[in-house]
Amino acid sequence: MTESTKPTIADIDLIQRILPHRYPFLLVDRVVDIDCPNSCTGIKNVTFNEPHFQGHFPGQPVMPGVTIVEAMAQTAAVMVGVHMELADKEFNVYFMNIDGVKFRRKVVPGDQLKMHVTVKRGGGKVWKFDGRAEVDGELACQAEFTAMMDLTPKA
């Protein structure tokens, strides 16, 4: 498949064919504007029934910052999976580094989180990204992160 014939969006079906994550830790609902291997935008519809809101915080639910960073990483992994044609193949992605994380606003139930991910370096096993998560165009989180694609066949 050439870059021009690869999907430019990933619905939940394709996301689940690429990522090993499942509820409650699948944190991206759709990926749009996939420009392999350069950038993409992920969408996470934040809902009150997510399990972390029971304890973070009772009476004042706030999406944990670490799950926002994870949502950006899952968005990046979908784009890499599309680029490397990894749908229906077994692989894992592991954080290697997270730098410059800043949280700028709370993310709460009812928000739609948009994760904008840009590749800084990649093409093989190790990829580096800039990520920005926004709600209604307002910056909620930013981070630079590095991840390794583990393509080793499982025994």
Side-chain angles (χ1 to χ4, degrees):
M1 194 177 298
T2 66
E3 294 302 330
S4 63
T5 61
K6 290 184 179 173
T8 58
I9 64 163
D11 62 10
I12 195 65
D13 178 59
L14 181 55
I15 290 168
Q16 289 185 309
R17 290 176 55 212
I18 293 172
L19 295 181
H21 305 79
R22 294 296 179 265
Y23 180 85
F25 213 67
L26 181 57
L27 299 171
V28 59
D29 297 318
R30 186 172 188 82
V31 181
V32 298
D33 300 326
I34 300 172
D35 176 18
C36 289
N38 304 307
S39 64
C40 66
T41 300
I43 297 171
K44 163 75 175 135
N45 295 306
V46 182
T47 63
F48 183 73
N49 61 347
E50 295 175 52
H52 49 254
F53 289 129
Q54 293 177 21
H56 198 267
F57 301 99
Q60 191 177 17
V62 176
M63 186 172 180
V66 295
T67 59
I68 297 170
V69 175
E70 175 67 22
M72 289 190 292
Q74 288 181 18
T75 297
V78 170
M79 182 200 52
V80 172
V82 167
H83 173 66
M84 296 178 71
E85 300 180 20
L86 296 174
D88 303 316
K89 296 185 180 162
E90 286 191 35
F91 72 98
N92 285 309
V93 182
Y94 300 104
F95 275 123
M96 294 177 67
N97 194 36
I98 303 170
D99 280 324
V101 179
K102 293 183 178 141
F103 301 100
R104 302 295 187 193
R105 81 179 298 279
K106 292 187 285 186
V107 177
V108 298
D111 285 344
Q112 184 178 72
L113 191 63
K114 288 191 176 178
M115 292 85 58
H116 305 282
V117 177
T118 304
V119 174
K120 292 185 77 172
R121 185 181 73 238
K125 283 186 165 188
V126 177
W127 292 70
K128 188 171 190 174
F129 306 93
D130 272 329
R132 295 175 50 86
E134 300 175 350
V135 175
D136 295 327
E138 185 180 351
L139 183 63
C141 176
Q142 64 191 64
E144 180 179 276
F145 52 96
T146 306
M148 180 187 70
M149 309 291 290
D150 179 6
L151 305 172
T152 308
K154 307 302 180 250

